[in-house]
Amino acid sequence: MDNVIYYFSGTGNSLKVAKDMAEKLGSTELISISKAINQEMYGAFETAGIVFPVHSKGVPMMVVKFIKKLKSFKVAYYYAVATHGGNLGGALEQTSKLFEKRGMKLAAGFAVHMPSIYITFNEEEQNKLFQACDQRVDRIIQTIKNKKAQVIEKNGFLNNLWIGIQYKMFLWLIYKRDKSFWVNEKCNQCGICAKICPAENIELKDGRPIWKHNCSHCYACLQWCPMQALQYGKTTGLKRYTNPFISLKEMLQSSRN
Ligand SMILES: Cc1cc2nc3c(=O)[nH]c(=O)nc-3n(C[C@H](O)[C@H](O)[C@H](O)COP(=O)(O)O)c2cc1C
């Protein structure tokens, strides 16, 4: 294989983008970050990409840990793709800095706007976003094929300060937030929540999930629960959303369990 794409995905958006990119690039190995993080990584590639969702204006913790592990590669061109719900924040700038700290250069960073669990879209609006995403992926592929460098825009000092505060608060609260997940009487003890969790953070006790406070807060457990039995807080609040082009089977294949 000439190329490799590593992805992390909760509702399937980033997996959809990564899959489309792999198909359009050709000769591309598609690897889930939650699996790769515990394996030795080695190889030589023409291009290597990381595709992930924006979490609280930044990079999900599991992706941060993954970038810190990247070492035994010979790669001509590194790039990152951040899928987001309308506010990229500092995710690409943060990725670029993480690469710099590892002595590597991120040649290009791309943002792709997707439907988000936080914003309610109707079907028409959602379809428009998917169409725009297809066109965006085509343009991204052209840039990658030509190995063109793309400047990663900087947010400026004050903006970065504010983004940084929100991101740090989010990471700090993740552990507490994990305690807010619970399951109602609809639970049929299928165990999908435990299998799909990319962080292996869910254990089953008498068939029902228990969260172990190592959550990456991707919401995969809640969104992919076939019975909609998983809840968050007093009322779940969030609209349930999974990417319509990605199947539960594909998501389960991405997880470590
Ligand atoms: C915990 C969490 C935090 C998020 N924070 C942001 C954000 O700051 N800005 C934004 O535009 N979207 C945000 N989103 C939306 C996701 O980035 C977006 O829906 C993404 O495409 C999801 O990709 P995935 O399905 O691959 O996980 C957030 C989603 C989650 C679960």
Side-chain angles (χ1 to χ4, degrees), residues 8-15 53-57 83-88 114-118 170 217-219:
F8 178 73
S9 191
T11 61
N13 283 347
S14 307
L15 174 53
V54 173
H55 278 184
S56 194
K57 322 281 180 295
T83 74
H84 64 94
N87 190 340
L88 173 70
M114 288 294 245
S116 156
I117 51 172
Y118 288 112
F170 167 73
H217 230 77
C218 65
Y219 286 106

